[in-house]
PDB file of all heavy atoms in Angstrom:
ATOM      1  N   LEU A 105     159.230  29.125 -89.118  1.00 93.00           N
ATOM      2  CA  LEU A 105     159.865  28.556 -90.342  1.00 93.00           C
ATOM      3  C   LEU A 105     160.641  27.265 -90.072  1.00 93.00           C
ATOM      4  O   LEU A 105     160.522  26.331 -90.881  1.00 93.00           O
ATOM      5  CB  LEU A 105     160.768  29.612 -91.008  1.00 93.00           C
ATOM      6  CG  LEU A 105     161.377  29.218 -92.318  1.00 93.00           C
ATOM      7  CD1 LEU A 105     160.336  28.826 -93.340  1.00 93.00           C
ATOM      8  CD2 LEU A 105     162.246  30.376 -92.882  1.00 93.00           C
ATOM      9  N   PRO A 106     161.436  27.152 -89.007  1.00 91.00           N
ATOM     10  CA  PRO A 106     162.123  25.865 -88.766  1.00 91.00           C
ATOM     11  C   PRO A 106     161.130  24.688 -88.611  1.00 91.00           C
ATOM     12  O   PRO A 106     161.425  23.573 -89.019  1.00 91.00           O
ATOM     13  CB  PRO A 106     162.893  26.093 -87.504  1.00 91.00           C
ATOM     14  CG  PRO A 106     163.183  27.554 -87.499  1.00 91.00           C
ATOM     15  CD  PRO A 106     161.932  28.184 -88.066  1.00 91.00           C
ATOM     16  N   HIS A 107     159.945  24.974 -88.051  1.00 93.00           N
ATOM     17  CA  HIS A 107     158.937  23.943 -87.952  1.00 93.00           C
ATOM     18  C   HIS A 107     158.399  23.532 -89.312  1.00 93.00           C
ATOM     19  O   HIS A 107     158.117  22.345 -89.572  1.00 93.00           O
ATOM     20  CB  HIS A 107     157.775  24.460 -87.044  1.00 93.00           C
ATOM     21  CG  HIS A 107     156.733  23.461 -86.711  1.00 93.00           C
ATOM     22  ND1 HIS A 107     155.534  23.797 -86.142  1.00 93.00           N
ATOM     23  CD2 HIS A 107     156.739  22.093 -86.833  1.00 93.00           C
ATOM     24  CE1 HIS A 107     154.830  22.689 -85.930  1.00 93.00           C
ATOM     25  NE2 HIS A 107     155.534  21.673 -86.363  1.00 93.00           N
ATOM     26  N   ALA A 108     158.262  24.524 -90.189  1.00 93.00           N
ATOM     27  CA  ALA A 108     157.701  24.242 -91.514  1.00 93.00           C
ATOM     28  C   ALA A 108     158.721  23.771 -92.559  1.00 93.00           C
ATOM     29  O   ALA A 108     158.372  23.201 -93.570  1.00 93.00           O
ATOM     30  CB  ALA A 108     156.995  25.519 -92.022  1.00 93.00           C
ATOM     31  N   TRP A 109     160.006  24.037 -92.284  1.00 89.00           N
ATOM     32  CA  TRP A 109     161.033  23.808 -93.286  1.00 89.00           C
ATOM     33  C   TRP A 109     161.078  22.388 -93.848  1.00 89.00           C
ATOM     34  O   TRP A 109     161.213  22.212 -95.075  1.00 89.00           O
ATOM     35  CB  TRP A 109     162.388  24.243 -92.797  1.00 89.00           C
ATOM     36  CG  TRP A 109     163.439  24.073 -93.820  1.00 89.00           C
ATOM     37  CD1 TRP A 109     164.482  23.201 -93.834  1.00 89.00           C
ATOM     38  CD2 TRP A 109     163.530  24.798 -95.072  1.00 89.00           C
ATOM     39  NE1 TRP A 109     165.232  23.346 -94.986  1.00 89.00           N
ATOM     40  CE2 TRP A 109     164.637  24.302 -95.767  1.00 89.00           C
ATOM     41  CE3 TRP A 109     162.731  25.785 -95.665  1.00 89.00           C
ATOM     42  CZ2 TRP A 109     165.027  24.756 -97.025  1.00 89.00           C
ATOM     43  CZ3 TRP A 109     163.108  26.258 -96.930  1.00 89.00           C
ATOM     44  CH2 TRP A 109     164.229  25.756 -97.597  1.00 89.00           C
ATOM     45  N   PRO A 110     160.983  21.352 -93.027  1.00 87.00           N
ATOM     46  CA  PRO A 110     161.040  20.008 -93.606  1.00 87.00           C
ATOM     47  C   PRO A 110     159.961  19.772 -94.686  1.00 87.00           C
ATOM     48  O   PRO A 110     160.243  19.148 -95.731  1.00 87.00           O
ATOM     49  CB  PRO A 110     160.845  19.063 -92.401  1.00 87.00           C
ATOM     50  CG  PRO A 110     161.348  19.871 -91.235  1.00 87.00           C
ATOM     51  CD  PRO A 110     160.965  21.273 -91.545  1.00 87.00           C
ATOM     52  N   GLU A 111     158.773  20.310 -94.458  1.00 89.00           N
ATOM     53  CA  GLU A 111     157.700  20.140 -95.474  1.00 89.00           C
ATOM     54  C   GLU A 111     157.940  21.009 -96.692  1.00 89.00           C
ATOM     55  O   GLU A 111     157.773  20.541 -97.824  1.00 89.00           O
ATOM     56  CB  GLU A 111     156.368  20.521 -94.840  1.00 89.00           C
ATOM     57  CG  GLU A 111     155.898  19.561 -93.738  1.00 89.00           C
ATOM     58  CD  GLU A 111     154.680  20.104 -93.026  1.00 89.00           C
ATOM     59  OE1 GLU A 111     153.548  19.893 -93.529  1.00 89.00           O
ATOM     60  OE2 GLU A 111     154.807  20.731 -91.958  1.00 89.00           O
ATOM     61  N   LEU A 112     158.383  22.240 -96.491  1.00 87.00           N
ATOM     62  CA  LEU A 112     158.610  23.112 -97.624  1.00 87.00           C
ATOM     63  C   LEU A 112     159.765  22.632 -98.478  1.00 87.00           C
ATOM     64  O   LEU A 112     159.658  22.627 -99.721  1.00 87.00           O
ATOM     65  CB  LEU A 112     158.922  24.525 -97.119  1.00 87.00           C
ATOM     66  CG  LEU A 112     157.792  25.257 -96.370  1.00 87.00           C
ATOM     67  CD1 LEU A 112     158.215  26.660 -95.984  1.00 87.00           C
ATOM     68  CD2 LEU A 112     156.531  25.343 -97.218  1.00 87.00           C
ATOM     69  N   SER A 113     160.843  22.216 -97.842  1.00 81.00           N
ATOM     70  CA  SER A 113     161.998  21.733 -98.626  1.00 81.00           C
ATOM     71  C   SER A 113     161.653  20.470 -99.421  1.00 81.00           C
ATOM     72  O   SER A 113     162.131  20.286-100.551  1.00 81.00           O
ATOM     73  CB  SER A 113     163.185  21.497 -97.709  1.00 81.00           C
ATOM     74  OG  SER A 113     162.893  20.527 -96.725  1.00 81.00           O
ATOM     75  N   ALA A 114     160.813  19.607 -98.840  1.00 81.00           N
ATOM     76  CA  ALA A 114     160.416  18.392 -99.551  1.00 81.00           C
ATOM     77  C   ALA A 114     159.590  18.737-100.784  1.00 81.00           C
ATOM     78  O   ALA A 114     159.665  18.053-101.809  1.00 81.00           O
ATOM     79  CB  ALA A 114     159.645  17.494 -98.621  1.00 81.00           C
ATOM     80  N   ARG A 115     158.805  19.813-100.723  1.00 79.00           N
ATOM     81  CA  ARG A 115     157.937  20.166-101.855  1.00 79.00           C
ATOM     82  C   ARG A 115     158.681  20.945-102.932  1.00 79.00           C
ATOM     83  O   ARG A 115     158.182  21.077-104.038  1.00 79.00           O
ATOM     84  CB  ARG A 115     156.755  21.027-101.337  1.00 79.00           C
ATOM     85  CG  ARG A 115     155.862  20.245-100.375  1.00 79.00           C
ATOM     86  CD  ARG A 115     154.752  21.108 -99.832  1.00 79.00           C
ATOM     87  NE  ARG A 115     154.174  20.477 -98.645  1.00 79.00           N
ATOM     88  CZ  ARG A 115     153.136  20.986 -97.950  1.00 79.00           C
ATOM     89  NH1 ARG A 115     152.531  22.066 -98.384  1.00 79.00           N
ATOM     90  NH2 ARG A 115     152.680  20.367 -96.910  1.00 79.00           N
ATOM     91  N   LEU A 116     159.858  21.447-102.596  1.00 74.00           N
ATOM     92  CA  LEU A 116     160.624  22.208-103.572  1.00 74.00           C
ATOM     93  C   LEU A 116     161.271  21.321-104.641  1.00 74.00           C
ATOM     94  O   LEU A 116     161.526  21.800-105.733  1.00 74.00           O
ATOM     95  CB  LEU A 116     161.755  23.006-102.880  1.00 74.00           C
ATOM     96  CG  LEU A 116     161.318  24.353-102.281  1.00 74.00           C
ATOM     97  CD1 LEU A 116     162.462  24.952-101.488  1.00 74.00           C
ATOM     98  CD2 LEU A 116     160.901  25.321-103.388  1.00 74.00           C
ATOM     99  N   ALA A 117     161.529  20.092-104.328  1.00 65.00           N
ATOM    100  CA  ALA A 117     162.223  19.183-105.221  1.00 65.00           C
ATOM    101  C   ALA A 117     161.298  18.112-105.721  1.00 65.00           C
ATOM    102  O   ALA A 117     160.673  17.412-104.952  1.00 65.00           O
ATOM    103  CB  ALA A 117     163.441  18.577-104.511  1.00 65.00           C
ATOM    104  N   GLY A 118     161.198  17.975-107.057  1.00 60.00           N
ATOM    105  CA  GLY A 118     160.431  16.903-107.648  1.00 60.00           C
ATOM    106  C   GLY A 118     161.373  16.049-108.463  1.00 60.00           C
ATOM    107  O   GLY A 118     161.822  16.493-109.516  1.00 60.00           O
ATOM    108  N   GLU A 119     161.649  14.835-107.977  1.00 48.00           N
ATOM    109  CA  GLU A 119     162.573  13.925-108.664  1.00 48.00           C
ATOM    110  C   GLU A 119     163.935  14.602-108.901  1.00 48.00           C
ATOM    111  O   GLU A 119     164.525  14.433-109.969  1.00 48.00           O
ATOM    112  CB  GLU A 119     161.940  13.437-109.960  1.00 48.00           C
ATOM    113  CG  GLU A 119     160.669  12.649-109.757  1.00 48.00           C
ATOM    114  CD  GLU A 119     160.095  12.148-111.067  1.00 48.00           C
ATOM    115  OE1 GLU A 119     160.640  12.496-112.134  1.00 48.00           O
ATOM    116  OE2 GLU A 119     159.108  11.411-111.020  1.00 48.00           O
ATOM    117  N   GLY A 120     164.362  15.378-107.954  1.00 52.00           N
ATOM    118  CA  GLY A 120     165.703  15.985-108.033  1.00 52.00           C
ATOM    119  C   GLY A 120     165.740  17.233-108.908  1.00 52.00           C
ATOM    120  O   GLY A 120     166.801  17.791-109.081  1.00 52.00           O
ATOM    121  N   GLU A 121     164.608  17.694-109.435  1.00 54.00           N
ATOM    122  CA  GLU A 121     164.628  18.868-110.257  1.00 54.00           C
ATOM    123  C   GLU A 121     164.052  20.084-109.506  1.00 54.00           C
ATOM    124  O   GLU A 121     163.154  19.926-108.682  1.00 54.00           O
ATOM    125  CB  GLU A 121     163.804  18.609-111.541  1.00 54.00           C
ATOM    126  CG  GLU A 121     164.338  17.494-112.414  1.00 54.00           C
ATOM    127  CD  GLU A 121     163.453  17.268-113.610  1.00 54.00           C
ATOM    128  OE1 GLU A 121     162.449  17.989-113.771  1.00 54.00           O
ATOM    129  OE2 GLU A 121     163.768  16.389-114.396  1.00 54.00           O
ATOM    130  N   ARG A 122     164.555  21.234-109.860  1.00 55.00           N
ATOM    131  CA  ARG A 122     164.032  22.451-109.262  1.00 55.00           C
ATOM    132  C   ARG A 122     162.615  22.695-109.768  1.00 55.00           C
ATOM    133  O   ARG A 122     162.369  22.670-110.978  1.00 55.00           O
ATOM    134  CB  ARG A 122     164.905  23.629-109.607  1.00 55.00           C
ATOM    135  CG  ARG A 122     164.456  24.933-109.010  1.00 55.00           C
ATOM    136  CD  ARG A 122     165.349  26.097-109.424  1.00 55.00           C
ATOM    137  NE  ARG A 122     164.879  27.332-108.867  1.00 55.00           N
ATOM    138  CZ  ARG A 122     165.312  28.530-109.216  1.00 55.00           C
ATOM    139  NH1 ARG A 122     166.265  28.649-110.105  1.00 55.00           N
ATOM    140  NH2 ARG A 122     164.833  29.638-108.665  1.00 55.00           N
ATOM    141  N   THR A 123     161.704  22.966-108.880  1.00 61.00           N
ATOM    142  CA  THR A 123     160.285  23.164-109.294  1.00 61.00           C
ATOM    143  C   THR A 123     159.749  24.525-108.878  1.00 61.00           C
ATOM    144  O   THR A 123     158.547  24.688-108.803  1.00 61.00           O
ATOM    145  CB  THR A 123     159.417  22.051-108.719  1.00 61.00           C
ATOM    146  OG1 THR A 123     159.517  22.055-107.304  1.00 61.00           O
ATOM    147  CG2 THR A 123     159.813  20.696-109.256  1.00 61.00           C
ATOM    148  N   GLY A 124     160.577  25.482-108.576  1.00 66.00           N
ATOM    149  CA  GLY A 124     160.082  26.769-108.211  1.00 66.00           C
ATOM    150  C   GLY A 124     160.556  27.253-106.880  1.00 66.00           C
ATOM    151  O   GLY A 124     161.509  26.708-106.308  1.00 66.00           O
ATOM    152  N   GLU A 125     159.903  28.242-106.362  1.00 82.00           N
ATOM    153  CA  GLU A 125     160.310  28.881-105.128  1.00 82.00           C
ATOM    154  C   GLU A 125     159.119  29.103-104.226  1.00 82.00           C
ATOM    155  O   GLU A 125     157.989  28.898-104.639  1.00 82.00           O
ATOM    156  CB  GLU A 125     160.978  30.232-105.394  1.00 82.00           C
ATOM    157  CG  GLU A 125     160.003  31.204-106.053  1.00 82.00           C
ATOM    158  CD  GLU A 125     160.678  32.479-106.548  1.00 82.00           C
ATOM    159  OE1 GLU A 125     161.793  32.404-107.038  1.00 82.00           O
ATOM    160  OE2 GLU A 125     160.038  33.560-106.420  1.00 82.00           O
ATOM    161  N   PHE A 126     159.385  29.488-102.986  1.00 87.00           N
ATOM    162  CA  PHE A 126     158.332  29.877-102.080  1.00 87.00           C
ATOM    163  C   PHE A 126     158.462  31.351-101.745  1.00 87.00           C
ATOM    164  O   PHE A 126     159.596  31.843-101.563  1.00 87.00           O
ATOM    165  CB  PHE A 126     158.353  29.072-100.772  1.00 87.00           C
ATOM    166  CG  PHE A 126     157.778  27.688-100.900  1.00 87.00           C
ATOM    167  CD1 PHE A 126     158.575  26.577-101.054  1.00 87.00           C
ATOM    168  CD2 PHE A 126     156.391  27.493-100.864  1.00 87.00           C
ATOM    169  CE1 PHE A 126     158.034  25.317-101.195  1.00 87.00           C
ATOM    170  CE2 PHE A 126     155.830  26.258-100.964  1.00 87.00           C
ATOM    171  CZ  PHE A 126     156.662  25.152-101.138  1.00 87.00           C
ATOM    172  N   LEU A 127     157.346  32.025-101.625  1.00 91.00           N
ATOM    173  CA  LEU A 127     157.339  33.387-101.175  1.00 91.00           C
ATOM    174  C   LEU A 127     156.656  33.416 -99.805  1.00 91.00           C
ATOM    175  O   LEU A 127     155.601  32.821 -99.614  1.00 91.00           O
ATOM    176  CB  LEU A 127     156.553  34.266-102.154  1.00 91.00           C
ATOM    177  CG  LEU A 127     156.291  35.708-101.730  1.00 91.00           C
ATOM    178  CD1 LEU A 127     157.640  36.488-101.711  1.00 91.00           C
ATOM    179  CD2 LEU A 127     155.299  36.379-102.639  1.00 91.00           C
ATOM    180  N   LEU A 128     157.291  34.106 -98.851  1.00 93.00           N
ATOM    181  CA  LEU A 128     156.665  34.290 -97.535  1.00 93.00           C
ATOM    182  C   LEU A 128     155.968  35.637 -97.553  1.00 93.00           C
ATOM    183  O   LEU A 128     156.617  36.706 -97.495  1.00 93.00           O
ATOM    184  CB  LEU A 128     157.722  34.230 -96.443  1.00 93.00           C
ATOM    185  CG  LEU A 128     158.487  32.899 -96.348  1.00 93.00           C
ATOM    186  CD1 LEU A 128     159.487  32.933 -95.193  1.00 93.00           C
ATOM    187  CD2 LEU A 128     157.551  31.728 -96.152  1.00 93.00           C
ATOM    188  N   MET A 129     154.655  35.636 -97.643  1.00 93.00           N
ATOM    189  CA  MET A 129     153.861  36.846 -97.720  1.00 93.00           C
ATOM    190  C   MET A 129     153.401  37.234 -96.296  1.00 93.00           C
ATOM    191  O   MET A 129     152.694  36.419 -95.654  1.00 93.00           O
ATOM    192  CB  MET A 129     152.662  36.662 -98.658  1.00 93.00           C
ATOM    193  CG  MET A 129     153.043  36.370-100.098  1.00 93.00           C
ATOM    194  SD  MET A 129     151.637  36.317-101.198  1.00 93.00           S
ATOM    195  CE  MET A 129     151.140  38.028-101.182  1.00 93.00           C
ATOM    196  N   THR A 130     153.772  38.408 -95.883  1.00 93.00           N
ATOM    197  CA  THR A 130     153.412  38.898 -94.534  1.00 93.00           C
ATOM    198  C   THR A 130     152.717  40.229 -94.687  1.00 93.00           C
ATOM    199  O   THR A 130     153.321  41.300 -94.580  1.00 93.00           O
ATOM    200  CB  THR A 130     154.649  39.036 -93.649  1.00 93.00           C
ATOM    201  OG1 THR A 130     155.438  37.830 -93.721  1.00 93.00           O
ATOM    202  CG2 THR A 130     154.274  39.277 -92.208  1.00 93.00           C
ATOM    203  N   GLY A 131     151.419  40.172 -95.026  1.00 88.00           N
ATOM    204  CA  GLY A 131     150.668  41.395 -95.153  1.00 88.00           C
ATOM    205  C   GLY A 131     150.906  42.114 -96.454  1.00 88.00           C
ATOM    206  O   GLY A 131     151.650  41.632 -97.333  1.00 88.00           O
ATOM    207  N   PRO A 132     150.298  43.305 -96.621  1.00 86.00           N
ATOM    208  CA  PRO A 132     150.495  44.057 -97.869  1.00 86.00           C
ATOM    209  C   PRO A 132     151.878  44.621 -97.988  1.00 86.00           C
ATOM    210  O   PRO A 132     152.679  44.673 -97.048  1.00 86.00           O
ATOM    211  CB  PRO A 132     149.432  45.180 -97.707  1.00 86.00           C
ATOM    212  CG  PRO A 132     149.254  45.327 -96.222  1.00 86.00           C
ATOM    213  CD  PRO A 132     149.427  43.941 -95.671  1.00 86.00           C
ATOM    214  N   SER A 133     152.201  45.052 -99.216  1.00 80.00           N
ATOM    215  CA  SER A 133     153.465  45.736 -99.489  1.00 80.00           C
ATOM    216  C   SER A 133     153.561  46.971 -98.645  1.00 80.00           C
ATOM    217  O   SER A 133     152.633  47.804 -98.598  1.00 80.00           O
ATOM    218  CB  SER A 133     153.595  46.052-100.964  1.00 80.00           C
ATOM    219  OG  SER A 133     154.638  46.942-101.221  1.00 80.00           O
ATOM    220  N   ARG A 134     154.707  47.159 -97.966  1.00 75.00           N
ATOM    221  CA  ARG A 134     154.931  48.326 -97.121  1.00 75.00           C
ATOM    222  C   ARG A 134     156.213  49.026 -97.513  1.00 75.00           C
ATOM    223  O   ARG A 134     157.267  48.386 -97.515  1.00 75.00           O
ATOM    224  CB  ARG A 134     154.992  47.911 -95.643  1.00 75.00           C
ATOM    225  CG  ARG A 134     153.786  47.193 -95.160  1.00 75.00           C
ATOM    226  CD  ARG A 134     154.007  46.397 -93.884  1.00 75.00           C
ATOM    227  NE  ARG A 134     154.372  47.231 -92.763  1.00 75.00           N
ATOM    228  CZ  ARG A 134     153.469  47.849 -91.977  1.00 75.00           C
ATOM    229  NH1 ARG A 134     152.181  47.676 -92.183  1.00 75.00           N
ATOM    230  NH2 ARG A 134     153.854  48.603 -90.975  1.00 75.00           N
ATOM    231  N   THR A 135     156.142  50.293 -97.871  1.00 77.00           N
ATOM    232  CA  THR A 135     157.296  51.061 -98.329  1.00 77.00           C
ATOM    233  C   THR A 135     157.309  52.402 -97.554  1.00 77.00           C
ATOM    234  O   THR A 135     156.302  53.072 -97.461  1.00 77.00           O
ATOM    235  CB  THR A 135     157.239  51.333 -99.826  1.00 77.00           C
ATOM    236  OG1 THR A 135     157.130  50.091-100.523  1.00 77.00           O
ATOM    237  CG2 THR A 135     158.458  52.055-100.281  1.00 77.00           C
ATOM    238  N   ALA A 136     158.462  52.712 -96.999  1.00 76.00           N
ATOM    239  CA  ALA A 136     158.629  53.997 -96.296  1.00 76.00           C
ATOM    240  C   ALA A 136     159.559  54.913 -97.109  1.00 76.00           C
ATOM    241  O   ALA A 136     160.599  54.485 -97.553  1.00 76.00           O
ATOM    242  CB  ALA A 136     159.218  53.787 -94.921  1.00 76.00           C
ATOM    243  N   ASP A 137     159.167  56.169 -97.269  1.00 72.00           N
ATOM    244  CA  ASP A 137     160.013  57.100 -98.014  1.00 72.00           C
ATOM    245  C   ASP A 137     161.013  57.760 -97.030  1.00 72.00           C
ATOM    246  O   ASP A 137     161.066  57.424 -95.855  1.00 72.00           O
ATOM    247  CB  ASP A 137     159.188  58.148 -98.753  1.00 72.00           C
ATOM    248  CG  ASP A 137     158.426  59.096 -97.822  1.00 72.00           C
ATOM    249  OD1 ASP A 137     158.668  59.059 -96.595  1.00 72.00           O
ATOM    250  OD2 ASP A 137     157.596  59.877 -98.319  1.00 72.00           O
ATOM    251  N   ILE A 138     161.751  58.716 -97.551  1.00 71.00           N
ATOM    252  CA  ILE A 138     162.812  59.312 -96.756  1.00 71.00           C
ATOM    253  C   ILE A 138     162.289  60.097 -95.546  1.00 71.00           C
ATOM    254  O   ILE A 138     163.001  60.337 -94.587  1.00 71.00           O
ATOM    255  CB  ILE A 138     163.700  60.220 -97.666  1.00 71.00           C
ATOM    256  CG1 ILE A 138     165.027  60.548 -97.008  1.00 71.00           C
ATOM    257  CG2 ILE A 138     162.946  61.470 -98.063  1.00 71.00           C
ATOM    258  CD1 ILE A 138     166.010  61.217 -97.928  1.00 71.00           C
ATOM    259  N   GLU A 139     161.042  60.488 -95.635  1.00 74.00           N
ATOM    260  CA  GLU A 139     160.425  61.226 -94.511  1.00 74.00           C
ATOM    261  C   GLU A 139     159.667  60.292 -93.564  1.00 74.00           C
ATOM    262  O   GLU A 139     158.895  60.733 -92.742  1.00 74.00           O
ATOM    263  CB  GLU A 139     159.485  62.286 -95.080  1.00 74.00           C
ATOM    264  CG  GLU A 139     160.205  63.391 -95.861  1.00 74.00           C
ATOM    265  CD  GLU A 139     159.295  64.486 -96.292  1.00 74.00           C
ATOM    266  OE1 GLU A 139     158.099  64.433 -95.939  1.00 74.00           O
ATOM    267  OE2 GLU A 139     159.769  65.432 -96.942  1.00 74.00           O
ATOM    268  N   LYS A 140     159.910  58.979 -93.710  1.00 76.00           N
ATOM    269  CA  LYS A 140     159.359  57.944 -92.817  1.00 76.00           C
ATOM    270  C   LYS A 140     157.832  57.888 -92.882  1.00 76.00           C
ATOM    271  O   LYS A 140     157.173  57.530 -91.955  1.00 76.00           O
ATOM    272  CB  LYS A 140     159.804  58.209 -91.358  1.00 76.00           C
ATOM    273  CG  LYS A 140     161.320  58.183 -91.168  1.00 76.00           C
ATOM    274  CD  LYS A 140     161.652  58.397 -89.727  1.00 76.00           C
ATOM    275  CE  LYS A 140     163.171  58.385 -89.536  1.00 76.00           C
ATOM    276  NZ  LYS A 140     163.551  58.606 -88.129  1.00 76.00           N
ATOM    277  N   ILE A 141     157.315  58.189 -94.073  1.00 77.00           N
ATOM    278  CA  ILE A 141     155.870  57.987 -94.331  1.00 77.00           C
ATOM    279  C   ILE A 141     155.646  56.621 -94.931  1.00 77.00           C
ATOM    280  O   ILE A 141     156.228  56.284 -95.932  1.00 77.00           O
ATOM    281  CB  ILE A 141     155.355  59.094 -95.245  1.00 77.00           C
ATOM    282  CG1 ILE A 141     155.529  60.469 -94.615  1.00 77.00           C
ATOM    283  CG2 ILE A 141     153.874  58.871 -95.578  1.00 77.00           C
ATOM    284  CD1 ILE A 141     155.168  61.651 -95.510  1.00 77.00           C
ATOM    285  N   LEU A 142     154.785  55.829 -94.301  1.00 73.00           N
ATOM    286  CA  LEU A 142     154.602  54.461 -94.743  1.00 73.00           C
ATOM    287  C   LEU A 142     153.485  54.442 -95.811  1.00 73.00           C
ATOM    288  O   LEU A 142     152.383  54.965 -95.632  1.00 73.00           O
ATOM    289  CB  LEU A 142     154.140  53.562 -93.545  1.00 73.00           C
ATOM    290  CG  LEU A 142     153.990  52.086 -93.829  1.00 73.00           C
ATOM    291  CD1 LEU A 142     155.325  51.504 -94.219  1.00 73.00           C
ATOM    292  CD2 LEU A 142     153.440  51.385 -92.643  1.00 73.00           C
ATOM    293  N   ILE A 143     153.815  53.808 -96.934  1.00 74.00           N
ATOM    294  CA  ILE A 143     152.888  53.693 -98.060  1.00 74.00           C
ATOM    295  C   ILE A 143     152.651  52.220 -98.308  1.00 74.00           C
ATOM    296  O   ILE A 143     153.566  51.413 -98.417  1.00 74.00           O
ATOM    297  CB  ILE A 143     153.436  54.358 -99.332  1.00 74.00           C
ATOM    298  CG1 ILE A 143     153.852  55.807 -99.055  1.00 74.00           C
ATOM    299  CG2 ILE A 143     152.420  54.287-100.436  1.00 74.00           C
ATOM    300  CD1 ILE A 143     152.716  56.698 -98.669  1.00 74.00           C
ATOM    301  N   LEU A 144     151.364  51.845 -98.445  1.00 69.00           N
ATOM    302  CA  LEU A 144     150.981  50.455 -98.751  1.00 69.00           C
ATOM    303  C   LEU A 144     150.779  50.287-100.239  1.00 69.00           C
ATOM    304  O   LEU A 144     150.244  51.155-100.930  1.00 69.00           O
ATOM    305  CB  LEU A 144     149.734  50.051 -97.985  1.00 69.00           C
ATOM    306  CG  LEU A 144     149.761  50.119 -96.462  1.00 69.00           C
ATOM    307  CD1 LEU A 144     148.443  49.636 -95.880  1.00 69.00           C
ATOM    308  CD2 LEU A 144     150.899  49.281 -95.892  1.00 69.00           C
ATOM    309  N   GLY A 145     151.215  49.120-100.748  1.00 65.00           N
ATOM    310  CA  GLY A 145     150.867  48.743-102.125  1.00 65.00           C
ATOM    311  C   GLY A 145     151.776  49.225-103.209  1.00 65.00           C
ATOM    312  O   GLY A 145     151.457  49.135-104.394  1.00 65.00           O
TER     313      GLY A 145
END
């Protein structure tokens, strides 16, 4: 991320206005319940 940040931060601003956000997607959704069972999606 520090390597990519200068490019990402430059793309976030268009003429000084907020133009959205970035999502860092790392694989499918992963959720664990109280019994430590991993559920995807």
